[in-house]
Amino acid sequence: MNWTDERVELLKKLWSEGLSASQIAAQLGGVSRNAVIGKVHRLKLSGRGKTSSTQTRSKKVNTTGSVRGSVHSGASQTMVRTSVTKSVGATALQAEYAVEAVAHTVLKPAADVVVPISRRLSLLQLSERTCKWPVGDPLNEDFHFCGNDSGDTSPYCTYHSKLAFQPASERRRAR
DNA sequence: CCCTGATTCGC
DNA sequence: GCGAATCAGG
């Protein structure tokens, strides 16, 4: 898989929106999260708008200014992502992305924000091994379910199982 | 153990 | 330039 223009743009977009490298990798398909991270660095857009610069390892100089909230209850699921990215003395380009991300989120509430390749199954098509992750607004025409294989232990595919519960971070013993 | 991003370095 | 391996951390 090579980095086409479109793929790079999608990468930039998703990264600026605060998605993790693995999530982005999943959506792009054909690449690992390492590939995504590597690309992000090569594009010099790590830090997502904040985290000024001097990235010396061994000591954390990084603080992401994004807050994620996710509520997943039963059939209707609502994702609320609030990305408060303050680009203090950051690049104007990065600032643009930040704004774009917010606008994007506001305009598109619950639609296909974070969905890999779904099979777009209707409720009746679900079976025991299909992912039952709801996509879109249940009151809307295009509402459907992910439908990817869910194994037979989880109601979701491996990808959505991870997204369903803890939002990628700030996770603590909940079971 | 699950995950996160960061860095290194052979290709 | 690319990304697996590795590192450092939550």
Side-chain angles (χ1 to χ4, degrees):
Chain A
M1 210 40 102
N2 67 316
W3 288 104
T4 63
D5 247 30
E6 296 166 29
R7 287 167 65 79
V8 171
E9 280 196 41
L10 182 55
L11 164 62
K12 287 181 183 173
K13 192 182 105 186
L14 297 178
W15 181 259
S16 66
E17 284 177 9
L19 293 190
S20 71
S22 62
Q23 289 177 310
I24 295 173
Q27 293 202 17
L28 287 173
V31 288
S32 66
R33 78 181 191 90
N34 274 323
V36 170
I37 291 174
K39 186 60 179 175
V40 163
H41 279 231
R42 261 169 260 124
L43 290 172
K44 298 178 177 37
L45 40 76
S46 49
R48 283 153 173 160
K50 211 205 171 195
T51 306
S52 45
S53 53
T54 318
Q55 200 64 265
T56 313
R57 66 109 125 282
S58 75
K59 269 308 175 184
K60 184 170 64 175
V61 192
N62 184 323
T63 304
T64 307
S66 62
V67 181
R68 300 198 192 88
S70 169
V71 180
H72 184 258
S73 49
S76 52
Q77 157 258 347
T78 312
M79 266 281 226
V80 179
R81 353 179 4 101
T82 309
S83 192
V84 184
T85 314
K86 284 187 176 180
S87 12
V88 185
T91 314
L93 179 63
Q94 297 176 312
E96 266 183 52
Y97 278 124
V99 175
E100 217 174 46
V102 174
H104 187 271
T105 302
V106 174
L107 295 177
K108 300 179 66 179
D112 58 84
V113 185
V114 175
V115 176
I117 332 84
S118 73
R119 293 176 57 199
R120 294 192 137 261
L121 298 184
S122 73
L123 179 58
L124 298 178
Q125 298 174 296
L126 294 175
S127 68
E128 289 179 23
R129 289 183 63 89
T130 55
C131 177
K132 299 166 188 59
W133 178 270
V135 178
D137 189 336
L139 300 178
N140 206 306
E141 270 295 299
D142 59 10
F143 175 70
H144 59 279
F145 292 90
C146 169
N148 285 145
D149 186 67
S150 63
D152 45 359
T153 48
S154 171
Y156 304 117
C157 61
T158 56
Y159 188 82
H160 284 137
S161 292
K162 293 168 188 169
L163 295 186
F165 310 102
Q166 10 286 34
S169 174
E170 176 59 34
R171 163 197 328 118
R172 210 70 292 176
R173 308 295 101 79
R175 192 105 344 143

